[in-house]
Amino acid sequence: MDKPNKIKVLVVDDSRVVRTMVTQFLSRDPDIEVVGSACDPYEARDRILALNPDVLTLDIEMPRMDGLTFLKIIMKQHPMPVIVISSLSQSGSKIAMEALRCGAVEVLGKSNGAYAVGNLGAQLALKVKAAAATRGSSALRNGAVSQATPTLAVRSRKQFHPRQVLLMGASTGGTQALQEVLTALPVQIPGICIVQHIPPYFSKAFAERLNTLCPFTVKEAENGEKVKPGLVLIAPGDYHMVLKLNGGSYTVILKQSPMVWHQRPAVDVLFESAAKCVGRFAVAALLTGMGKDGAEGLLHLKKTGALTYAQNEDTCIVYGMPKTACELGAVQQMVPLPLMAHTLYKALCKFKS
């Protein structure tokens, strides 16, 4: 039986040291082959045409042309999976969020300094494989949010039960999927808790961007913060988020316990904690992403009486996490992304105490 072809990667960075280190990290994985490198976008353009890589790793700060500008050109002229590598700074985080909006499928953060990529070694191969899984996806829309998602009309209704919580988890392609769902929800919502696989610092920029787009408050979660109506809490990068019941309300606990499924934050950690203290008051959804994170937690939520949903294959950038959850029997309904906000809101409104 023939072995599957290796994932071909082109590394683009103006630093020779960085190009060498990234190549060494990726070459350790038997499923990945670094077919070449480039020191700037102009050289990268020629290498893309000559080598036809499956995945591109792209630095943001480069001479002659910055990475963000080059990314926009790639997505217009030669769409392909791109992993953006950006500095873990305030400006770097905002640029990384813009890169995701423009079509990058993953972002990785490096410490300040041209050669500070050693902390990326453990994640690089995983991100490359996730990016490669998006190649040819019918849902890959170059980072653009679907225009087919209807915004729910704001309407008065009785208050939600104080114990109700909406939970969501996502990975590759999730930043845009979450934006699509959240911006379609009305201002009257119960508390929402979200885990998106994202590096430290980038999660705050992600939350701040959503806060400018949504009719309710979206923020990066803080340890000990209360979950309340009209508030969306996003787990910080590198911290698991756990729900605890205190009296009649929930509190968020942030932990740097071991990674789960190579992730921190992990969706399973949030979902498992909610299964213990939220149970039938929860509505939960697992969105696009590679791997298995969130599937077992969603199953436990379902067993406690929660309503459970997952994004369908046709609208996923990567149909990994939802597929695993479906195979486990954790999903009560598969939902196209444009209908997810309506479905979740309807589920919340159906609750009877």
Side-chain angles (χ1 to χ4, degrees):
M1 184 175 179
D2 293 336
K3 293 182 178 179
N5 294 330
K6 291 186 177 184
I7 300 168
K8 298 186 296 182
V9 180
L10 178 67
V11 177
V12 184
D13 198 292
D14 63 311
S15 165
R16 180 181 296 179
V17 173
V18 171
R19 295 196 302 273
T20 300
M21 292 180 68
V22 170
T23 298
Q24 289 175 345
F25 287 141
L26 294 177
S27 297
R28 295 171 187 168
D29 193 296
D31 297 323
I32 297 172
E33 178 186 3
V34 178
V35 294
S37 63
C39 63
D40 62 43
Y42 292 95
E43 183 180 7
R45 175 194 57 194
D46 296 336
R47 293 295 179 92
I48 289 171
L49 295 175
L51 301 171
N52 191 30
D54 299 309
V55 177
L56 188 77
T57 70
L58 180 64
D59 188 22
I60 288 294
E61 298 177 355
M62 291 185 293
R64 302 178 69 191
M65 182 190 294
D66 66 89
L68 190 58
T69 300
F70 185 50
L71 174 66
K72 294 175 182 178
I73 294 173
I74 292 172
M75 291 304 155
K76 183 178 181 179
Q77 299 182 357
H78 193 95
M80 63 183 301
V82 176
I83 298 172
V84 163
I85 299 177
S86 184
S87 64
L88 291 176
S89 62
Q90 184 174 1
S91 60
S93 299
K94 290 181 179 180
I95 291 172
M97 292 303 102
E98 178 65 11
L100 287 169
R101 189 189 70 80
C102 292
V105 294
E106 292 278 5
V107 295
L108 280 171
K110 64 179 178 181
S111 302
N112 292 331
Y115 309 137
V117 295
N119 59 320
L120 303 183
Q123 290 291 316
L124 266 173
L126 292 173
K127 296 296 184 182
V128 163
K129 290 177 180 180
T134 72
R135 194 172 177 89
S137 169
S138 61
L140 193 56
R141 295 184 296 271
N142 301 337
V145 176
S146 170
Q147 299 303 310
T149 299
T151 301
L152 289 165
V154 178
R155 60 182 184 270
S156 62
R157 69 175 302 280
K158 65 178 182 180
Q159 289 186 336
F160 291 102
H161 192 285
R163 290 282 304 277
Q164 283 185 272
V165 179
L166 175 57
L167 308 164
M168 288 187 278
S171 187
T172 309
T175 54
Q176 293 302 315
L178 286 167
Q179 178 181 323
E180 187 161 339
V181 174
L182 291 175
T183 54
L185 290 172
V187 66
Q188 286 184 304
I189 54 168
I192 300 177
C193 293
I194 294 172
V195 167
Q196 162 71 44
H197 295 163
I198 199 166
Y201 301 95
F202 293 176
S203 51
K204 184 176 182 181
F206 177 48
E208 288 175 347
R209 183 170 186 277
L210 287 175
N211 190 54
T212 66
L213 300 173
C214 296
F216 34 75
T217 301
V218 183
K219 66 186 296 291
E220 185 181 61
E222 299 178 51
N223 191 47
E225 191 164 13
K226 286 188 176 181
V227 178
K228 56 186 179 182
L231 177 63
V232 178
L233 297 177
I234 295 178
D238 204 34
Y239 284 86
H240 292 308
M241 184 162 69
V242 173
L243 287 179
K244 297 286 186 181
L245 179 62
N246 291 322
S249 62
Y250 305 103
T251 300
V252 164
I253 306 298
L254 303 180
K255 305 169 70 174
Q256 282 192 306
S257 47
M259 290 186 175
V260 176
W261 303 114
H262 307 288
Q263 303 293 338
R264 190 170 58 217
V267 183
D268 264 333
V269 173
L270 173 64
F271 283 7
E272 294 282 3
S273 70
K276 296 176 182 177
C277 67
V278 184
R280 68 185 184 90
F281 296 96
V283 173
L286 197 56
L287 306 182
T288 175
M290 184 176 180
K292 301 180 178 181
D293 187 25
E296 292 181 359
L298 195 69
L299 178 61
H300 291 160
L301 277 166
K302 180 184 175 185
K303 289 179 177 179
T304 66
L307 299 178
T308 59
Y309 302 88
Q311 187 176 342
N312 75 340
E313 182 175 5
D314 287 345
T315 62
C316 277
I317 297 296
V318 180
Y319 186 56
M321 289 155 54
K323 179 182 179 182
T324 303
C326 185
E327 290 173 345
L328 282 178
V331 182
Q332 292 171 316
Q333 183 180 346
M334 302 298 293
V335 182
L337 184 61
L339 300 179
M340 185 62 77
H342 176 80
T343 301
L344 297 179
Y345 190 74
K346 184 177 179 181
L348 289 165
C349 292
K350 287 194 303 185
F351 178 82
K352 296 180 180 180
S353 57

